[in-house]
Amino acid sequence: MAEQEKEAGLPLKENFSEWYNELLMKGEVMDVRYPVKGLYVWFPFGFNIRRNVYDIIRRLLDKDHQETLFPLLIPENEFMKEAEHIKGFEEEVYWVTHGGTSPLEVKLALRPTSETSIYPMYKLWVRSHVDLPLKLYQIVNTFRYETKHTRPLIRLREITSFKEAHTVHATWEDAAAQVDEAISIYTEFYRKLAVPVLASKRPEWDKFPGADYTIATDALMPDGRTLQVGTAHHLGDNFAKTFDITYEDAEGEQVYAHQTCYGISERSIAALISIHGDDKGLVLPPAVAPVQVVIIPIIFKESGNVLAACGDVMTRLEQAGLRAKMDASDIRPGAKYYKWEMRGVPVRLEIGPRDLKNNAAMLVRRDTGEKIQVSLENIVDELSTLLERIHEDLYQKARTSMYEHVFECSDLGEIREKISKGIAKIFWCGSKECGLKLEDDVGAGILGIPTEQTKDCNGRCLVCDSDASVQVYVARTY
Ligand code: ZN
C-alpha cells in the first residue's frame, strides 16, 4: 500500500496548477529547485523532449531560413535607440555594469529579445535589393526581469529556448506576407506537436513594442486560460529607420527596408505537456517522445526465450528508426508501468511466455489504455501505424476540446459565466476604451481578432452597443 501511495503521487489534473508543478518534477521535465527565482533546470529527459521539439521547428524553418547566433550582450547605446521598444522592455532588462571590479564605460544589457543586437549588423549586411529577403533565426536564451509570479516553462526570468527569426524585405507588403507565412509555419509546427492553436491579431495596445502590428497564436490550457505560444510582428520600417537599414533598389535609390520578427519559446512544451497529460503523468505525442516504445518482458521462471524475443523486437524497432527502450530491470511490473506512464511513453509493448507461444505481443496505448494484440511478424508496421494514429487522435481530441471551449457570447453576463471555462467570442467596436472597460467588467481582456475572420460581419459592440464589424476572442491569459 505504501508503495502504491508513493507511486500515485500526482495530484488530479483538475487541480491544474499543482498537477503541472508536480508533473514537471515526477515526469522529469524540469527541476524547480534552482536557487534563483524564475530560473529552472532541464532534466536530461525533459531536455530530450526539448531537442525533439526544436528539431521540428528547425526542419520547418531550414527550408528557406538560415540559422545563426548573435551575442547575448547588447551595448546600452544600441539598446536605447528605438523609443517604443525601450518603453516596452526597460523594466525587464538585466544590466551588466561591471567587468570584474571595474565599472564598464558602456553598460551591457542581457538580451530580453534580440532586435537591438541583430539590427546594427543588418545595417552592414543589407546593401542591395538582391540581398533581400534576408531570413535568419537563432535559438538562444533571453533574460527578462519578470515581476509577476514566475512559473516553469511559462513565465521565466531566463527563457532558455527562444527561437527568434528576423527577416528583412524590400516592401511593407512583402513583410506582411512574411508575417502570414510565419503564422502558417507556427500552426504547422503545433500540428506536429498535436497542439491546436488559435491565431489572432492583437489589439493595438497589446502589440510588440515598436511594431506596426502583431499576430499571435494561443493554446487553450486545461484551466481555461490561454497561453500565448507564438508571435509574429510586422515591424514596418520603424527599426530600419532607427538602425539605418537601407538597400539600393532597382532604380539605384537608397530606401529603407521593411522587417518582421517572430518567436517561439519553451512555452510550446508547456502547452504540449499540459494539454495532453493526464492523472497518470505525461502523454507525449510520438514525434517528440524521447522513448516511443517501451518493451517490457513479462518474466516468470523461464525467462530466456522471452528476453531473447524482446531483444529481437528491440533491434528491429531500432533498425526501423523508432526510439525504443527495453526495461528488463528487476522492479515489479506495476512499478515499471507507473514509471513509463509518468514519462508519457506512447506505447508499452509486453511479451510474456503465453504471447511468445502465439508468436504475439501486447501493445498498450498510453493515451487511451487500449490493449492491442499483434503478431510478432508485423510488429514494426503495426507499431508505426499505431504511433501515427495516436498522434492524430491526440490532435483531434485536443482540437475538439478547444472548440468546445470557445463560446459565442451576446452579453456581459454570459461572458462572466463562460470565461472561467474558456474563450469568449464577441462583437467589438474596435475602441481601446471598450477593450479596457471589458477587462474591468469581466476580468478578461481582448485576445485578438481571429485571422480566419475574412469577411466583415455585423453586430453591436457588447460594451458600448455601437456598430461592430469584427468579432474578437476574449480570454483570461497567462
Ligand atoms: Zn464599443
Side-chain angles (χ1 to χ4, degrees):
M1 191 64 197
E3 197 180 359
Q4 271 172 353
E5 268 172 18
K6 200 176 92 205
E7 284 177 4
L10 208 56
L12 296 178
K13 193 181 177 185
E14 61 193 43
N15 305 317
F16 176 67
S17 209
E18 292 163 43
W19 173 88
Y20 179 77
N21 287 333
E22 282 285 309
L23 178 63
L24 290 176
M25 286 296 286
K26 292 210 164 87
E28 293 192 358
V29 181
M30 279 260 139
D31 197 323
V32 301
R33 295 172 295 182
Y34 193 74
V36 178
K37 180 181 156 69
L39 273 57
Y40 308 97
V41 183
W42 289 99
F43 282 113
F45 185 78
F47 198 74
N48 203 329
I49 299 173
R50 177 198 184 273
R51 191 169 61 187
N52 295 332
V53 167
Y54 280 78
D55 277 353
I56 293 174
I57 192 68
R58 275 197 170 93
R59 275 202 298 278
L60 289 170
L61 289 173
D62 285 347
K63 288 174 192 165
D64 67 346
H65 294 63
Q66 289 176 292
E67 187 171 358
T68 180
L69 188 57
F70 276 75
L72 166 68
L73 299 173
I74 306 171
E76 184 180 21
N77 51 319
E78 295 293 350
F79 189 78
M80 297 311 240
K81 269 183 184 167
E82 217 287 333
E84 286 300 312
H85 192 68
I86 304 163
K87 253 195 276 168
F89 285 104
E90 66 184 348
E91 291 302 322
E92 295 184 2
V93 178
Y94 283 91
W95 289 102
V96 176
T97 59
H98 284 71
T101 53
S102 315
L104 297 176
E105 267 177 41
V106 179
K107 282 199 297 184
L108 300 168
L110 297 189
R111 60 181 164 221
T113 171
S114 299
E115 286 72 19
T116 56
S117 140
I118 293 175
Y119 301 166
M121 298 308 293
Y122 276 8
K123 170 184 158 59
L124 306 174
W125 291 353
V126 174
R127 309 247 55 103
S128 150
H129 63 98
V130 299
D131 299 330
L132 304 177
L134 177 64
K135 301 187 193 182
L136 305 184
Y137 75 92
Q138 62 178 1
I139 298 172
V140 295
N141 57 350
T142 65
F143 292 83
R144 295 181 187 178
Y145 185 71
E146 287 286 354
T147 48
K148 290 188 198 167
H149 181 65
T150 54
R151 198 186 286 265
L153 302 177
I154 292 177
R155 189 170 292 283
L156 309 159
R157 288 189 171 173
E158 181 188 11
I159 298 166
T160 67
S161 314
F162 192 47
K163 190 291 300 164
E164 48 177 333
H166 295 268
T167 68
V168 188
H169 305 268
T171 65
W172 196 94
E173 289 72 23
D174 288 352
Q178 187 61 39
V179 168
D180 293 344
E181 173 67 16
I183 292 299
S184 125
I185 291 171
Y186 286 178
T187 305
E188 192 181 345
F189 166 66
Y190 280 107
R191 181 73 175 81
K192 288 175 189 292
L193 306 184
V195 169
V197 291
L198 296 170
S200 66
K201 187 174 178 181
R202 289 289 184 256
E204 197 57 17
W205 62 87
D206 198 23
K207 67 184 186 183
F208 182 71
D212 278 2
Y213 66 84
T214 291
I215 295 179
T217 54
D218 297 278
L220 181 61
M221 298 289 267
D223 62 356
R225 290 199 278 169
T226 57
L227 183 67
Q228 176 174 292
V229 289
T231 51
H233 314 291
H234 194 310
L235 302 178
D237 58 6
N238 308 332
F239 283 86
K241 283 177 173 160
T242 304
F243 288 92
D244 197 26
I245 302 168
T246 62
Y247 69 94
E248 190 179 283
D249 69 10
E251 282 76 46
E253 297 285 318
Q254 286 293 322
V255 290
Y256 285 114
H258 292 78
Q259 292 176 271
T260 79
C261 60
Y262 34 101
I264 268 185
S265 74
E266 57 258 58
R267 279 187 167 196
S268 54
I269 296 166
L272 107 89
I273 67 180
S274 301
I275 288 170
H276 300 310
D278 64 17
D279 292 343
K280 291 179 183 171
L282 295 169
V283 175
L284 295 173
V288 300
V291 180
Q292 294 170 315
V293 184
V294 62
I295 302 169
I296 312 267
I298 309 292
I299 295 161
F300 296 99
K301 280 174 197 153
E302 284 301 314
S303 61
N305 292 343
V306 167
L307 280 176
C310 286
D312 176 57
V313 168
M314 172 85 183
T315 308
R316 286 164 61 204
L317 295 181
E318 282 182 329
Q319 279 168 353
L322 294 173
R323 296 187 288 270
K325 193 176 179 76
M326 177 149 87
D327 186 351
S329 63
D330 243 355
I331 57 175
R332 61 184 184 78
K336 275 185 200 178
Y337 298 165
Y338 167 86
K339 174 180 170 185
W340 297 109
E341 280 171 354
M342 185 63 81
R343 281 165 185 69
V345 177
V347 178
R348 187 170 82 226
L349 187 160
E350 299 170 11
I351 301 178
R354 204 181 306 159
D355 300 305
L356 205 54
K357 232 178 264 172
N358 300 322
N359 200 33
M362 185 67 81
L363 306 183
V364 185
R365 284 175 67 154
R366 171 65 183 86
D367 61 332
T368 59
E370 186 193 351
K371 294 183 174 179
I372 307 155
Q373 197 181 46
V374 294
S375 123
L376 282 178
E377 255 159 59
N378 307 327
I379 196 116
V380 173
D381 289 348
E382 294 274 2
L383 260 172
S384 305
T385 309
L386 181 61
L387 291 173
E388 278 171 35
R389 198 185 316 144
I390 289 171
H391 182 93
E392 195 53 28
D393 288 353
L394 284 174
Y395 176 70
Q396 293 303 342
K397 186 180 161 204
R399 189 173 183 278
T400 303
S401 167
M402 181 177 78
Y403 282 109
E404 280 171 1
H405 291 86
V406 177
F407 308 101
E408 302 240 1
C409 294
S410 49
D411 60 58
L412 293 177
E414 209 179 344
I415 303 180
R416 278 189 210 102
E417 187 199 318
K418 303 281 192 185
I419 204 69
S420 64
K421 301 187 196 88
I423 299 165
K425 203 173 175 190
I426 64 159
F427 280 102
W428 173 52
C429 66
S431 84
K432 180 174 182 179
E433 213 184 335
C434 285
L436 297 184
K437 185 160 189 303
L438 185 73
E439 214 160 326
D440 287 342
D441 280 0
V442 302
I446 288 177
L447 193 63
I449 302 168
T451 50
E452 78 263 23
Q453 189 169 293
T454 47
K455 57 178 192 315
D456 281 358
C457 40
N458 290 308
R460 323 282 312 168
C461 175
L462 240 61
V463 184
C464 69
D465 201 39
S466 59
D467 283 344
S469 59
V470 292
Q471 278 190 299
V472 288
Y473 294 132
V474 174
R476 295 176 305 130
T477 60
Y478 272 89

